[in-house]
């Protein structure tokens, strides 16, 4: 019998919500629930890496086991993110009179014609679904498969068609990850089978995103590839923290670098002396672990010790915060404040403007036409 349902918007700030199922279908509801301020507990066997990462960063609770009726205690809403759990969890909720919704209503995969597939590399922006481009959203809405990263705007995954498969290929810094070669193979395999593949990435695909390698792998396999540029966290992170990267009276440019290797490390190709003296705003990505070495080198190479600096973490997400200081103390201030990746550090006179400008107003937005969960 078809289910009759009623769609509603729920105010969930501060409310406990159980997500039953920890696979890739949990990503969109977990992100949307966090954006709504809910207290989220995920219960499921075999959690995907992004769910584990959110738990390790203290943003959700996670139990790696099958859900049971005790999980419904003191919960205001239950979201079923695993079709295999749907009937049993709905039964428990019916007994308790608890509202229950399905994160997605999956349908059978659509017939695909081998040889007709394609890949779209979509830059998702820093995490706020409002910062995904219109073209990026269109691509997600037309996908048969979405291969996603942990830093992508995960709440837009609920915009993928019901038949679409979501694959989580998160790379957790110093943690679990899917090797890049495997990601390349996945894109090629799905496209060869005739599917429209969206590779949803955080920020811009070609800014430290290894999108270039994915493009090459697809091109070598004869798969048509398209790119939808995204709003890089290198630009959005500082902006959302109130730092204009250029300012007419202060600086005439900015330089974006990866901090994943410290100065003097084997394999580092950056000229830190030139960067210290460049007179441009310096934007460092992937630099939390190496920030003490980087800032020390910049000062040793002639950057004034009074140069303002700011680190912003989780830009565009409800957990966004920033800390300010100078090039000399920003690493220690960040460490004392418990700053962790993902974070962007801005070094230069413009970093001081964050304190002078009124606090920027920003909060996660819904994607246009975002659906409210109903089941
Ligand atoms: N292609 C991405 C960057 C990938 S490298 C882009 O253009 O944004 C991953 C690094 O990006 C992180 O280590 C962090 O430095 C930065 N980053 C990504 N998302 C972020 C966010 N929401 N807040 C702060 N930094 C972020």
């Amino acid at each position: 019998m078809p289910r009759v349902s009623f769609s509603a918007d729920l105010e969930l700030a501060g409310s406990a919500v159980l997500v039953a199922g920890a696979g890739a279908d949990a990503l969109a509801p977990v992100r949307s629930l966090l954006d709504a301020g809910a207290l989220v507990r995920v219960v499921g066997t075999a959690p995907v890496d992004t769910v584990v990462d959110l738990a390790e960063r203290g943003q959700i609770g996670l139990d790696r086991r099958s859900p049971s009726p005790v999980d419904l205690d003191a919960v205001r809403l239950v979201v079923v993110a695993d079709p295999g759990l749907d009937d049993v969890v709905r039964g428990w909720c019916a007994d308790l009179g608890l509202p229950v919704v399905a994160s997605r209503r999956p349908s059978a995969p659509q017939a695909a014609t081998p040889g007709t597939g394609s890949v779209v590399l979509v830059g998702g922006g820093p995490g706020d679904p409002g910062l995904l481009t219109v073209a990026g959203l269109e691509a997600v809405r037309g996908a048969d498969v979405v291969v996603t990263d942990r830093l992508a705007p995960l709440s837009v995954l609920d915009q993928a068609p019901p038949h679409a498969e979501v694959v989580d290929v998160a790379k957790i810094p110093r943690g679990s990850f899917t090797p890049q070669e495997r990601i390349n193979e996945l894109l090629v395999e799905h496209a060869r089978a005739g599917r429209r593949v969206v590779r949803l990435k955080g920020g811009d695909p070609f800014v430290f995103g290894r999108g270039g390698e994915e493009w090459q792998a697809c091109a070598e396999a004869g798969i048509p590839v398209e790119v939808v540029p995204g709003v890089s966290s290198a630009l959005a992170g500082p902006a959302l923290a109130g730092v204009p990267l250029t300012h007419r009276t202060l600086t005439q440019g900015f330089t974006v670098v990866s901090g994943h290797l410290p100065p003097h490390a084997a394999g580092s190709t950056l000229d830190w002396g030139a960067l210290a003296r460049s007179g441009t705003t310096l934007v460092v990505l992937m630099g939390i672990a190496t920030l003490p070495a980087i800032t020390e080198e910049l000062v040793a190479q002639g950057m004034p010790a009074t140069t303002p600096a700011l680190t912003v973490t989780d830009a565009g997400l409800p957990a966004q915060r920033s800390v300010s200081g100078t090039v000399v103390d920003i690493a220690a201030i960040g460490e004392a404040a418990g700053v962790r990746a993902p974070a962007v550090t801005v070094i230069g006179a413009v970093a001081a403007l964050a304190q002078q400008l009124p606090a920027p107003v920003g909060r996660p937005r819904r994607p246009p036409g975002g659906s409210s969960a109903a089941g």
Side-chain angles (χ1 to χ4, degrees):
M1 194 178 76
R3 260 186 206 125
V4 180
S5 65
F6 173 73
S7 298
D9 273 327
L10 295 178
E11 293 285 337
L12 289 171
S15 298
V17 177
L18 170 72
V19 177
D25 283 345
L27 297 175
V30 165
R31 186 68 261 163
S32 301
L33 288 164
L34 289 175
D35 290 351
L39 308 174
V40 181
R41 169 161 294 275
V42 177
V43 181
T45 52
V48 292
D49 287 343
T50 297
V51 167
V52 174
D53 176 57
L54 285 168
E56 283 174 357
R57 291 198 285 141
Q59 300 196 7
I60 60 169
L62 171 63
D63 288 314
R64 299 166 186 239
R65 54 169 173 78
S66 299
S68 81
V70 294
D71 297 320
L72 306 184
D73 278 357
V75 157
R76 231 189 110 202
L77 174 72
V78 177
V79 178
V80 185
D82 176 347
L85 296 171
D86 205 47
D87 286 342
V88 61
V89 175
R90 272 177 200 280
W92 300 336
C93 291
D95 291 345
L96 293 168
L98 256 181
V100 56
V101 297
S103 68
R104 301 167 79 218
R105 273 159 287 183
S107 65
Q110 289 191 343
T113 314
T116 59
S118 60
V119 172
V120 190
L121 303 173
V122 174
D128 176 341
L131 296 178
L132 172 69
T133 64
V134 175
L137 183 61
E138 285 299 307
V140 171
R141 286 179 171 160
D144 298 311
V145 183
V146 184
V147 180
T148 185
D149 276 357
R150 92 189 157 108
L151 296 178
L154 299 173
S155 53
V156 303
L157 293 172
D158 75 354
Q159 300 280 307
H163 73 271
E165 181 187 348
V166 176
V167 186
D168 179 30
V169 292
K171 288 200 186 90
I172 316 292
R174 285 163 249 283
S176 166
F177 68 101
T178 308
Q180 186 62 48
E181 297 65 36
R182 180 63 198 135
I183 298 174
N184 297 352
E185 279 168 19
L186 267 174
L187 300 178
V188 170
E189 281 167 17
H190 280 296
R192 279 218 172 112
R195 303 192 183 103
R196 285 166 300 181
V197 183
V198 163
R199 172 72 173 109
L200 184 64
K201 301 170 78 76
D204 180 86
F206 291 166
V207 177
F208 306 131
R210 303 191 70 169
E213 290 164 60
E214 292 170 3
W215 186 346
Q216 280 168 334
C218 292
E220 276 163 23
I223 308 285
V225 191
E226 199 187 310
V227 180
V228 178
V231 178
S232 176
S233 64
L235 281 68
L240 293 170
V243 177
L245 285 180
T246 68
H247 198 67
R248 200 170 61 86
T249 52
L250 295 176
T251 176
Q252 295 166 2
F254 59 89
T255 310
V256 180
V257 298
S258 166
H260 78 287
L261 292 175
H264 310 299
S268 170
T269 57
L270 295 173
D271 181 340
W272 289 97
L275 292 171
R277 293 181 295 272
S278 69
T280 71
T281 305
L282 193 55
V283 182
V284 185
L285 271 62
M286 293 181 277
I288 286 303
T290 53
L291 205 56
I294 287 173
T295 49
E296 191 180 317
E297 178 72 3
L298 288 171
V299 175
Q301 296 274 359
M303 182 179 276
T306 51
T307 306
L310 174 144
T311 296
V312 55
T313 67
D314 287 314
L317 296 167
Q320 176 178 325
R321 6 185 234 145
S322 45
V323 291
S324 295
T326 66
V327 63
V328 171
D329 58 20
I330 189 67
I333 289 173
E335 206 180 320
V339 157
R340 293 179 64 179
V344 172
T345 298
V346 200
I347 304 171
V350 288
L353 291 177
Q355 264 112 35
Q356 294 164 27
L357 298 170
V361 188
R363 61 179 190 86
R365 285 165 285 259
R366 289 170 178 229
S371 63
S372 53

